[in-house]
Amino acid sequence: MELYQLRTFVAVAESGHLTRAAERLHVSQPAVSNQVRALEEELGVDLFARVPGGMALTKAGSHLLPLAERVLAAAAELRGEAQ
């Protein structure tokens, strides 16, 4: 699992939409979709369910979101300390 995949997971969770997350991350929508799919495959769980108008977190996604946010915060802290 890569930090960019976790950033993508969080962005989709916050925006509720692949395209909006792609715009926020400055990447293409297919890239966002592929990153989410790769993370789901690595973790062995579905993080999102497609719903009318976007994406909704599954129970597993809701459970894992705070953990992903903590990992990203720790990575930012590490970067800050290194600088």
Side-chain angles (χ1 to χ4, degrees), residues 9-72:
F9 168 46
V10 171
V12 174
E14 289 176 352
S15 68
H17 201 271
L18 292 173
T19 303
R20 285 189 213 122
E23 291 168 355
R24 175 177 158 184
L25 297 169
H26 306 288
V27 298
S28 69
Q29 182 273 328
V32 168
S33 183
N34 289 338
Q35 290 169 16
V36 168
R37 187 176 311 111
L39 184 59
E40 288 176 328
E41 287 176 9
E42 183 170 346
L43 296 176
V45 296
D46 290 332
L47 300 170
F48 296 99
R50 290 191 180 272
V51 295
M55 305 286 279
L57 285 168
T58 62
K59 185 175 179 178
S62 293
H63 178 72
L64 295 174
L65 179 60
L67 300 172
E69 291 170 330
R70 287 201 309 254
V71 169
L72 293 173

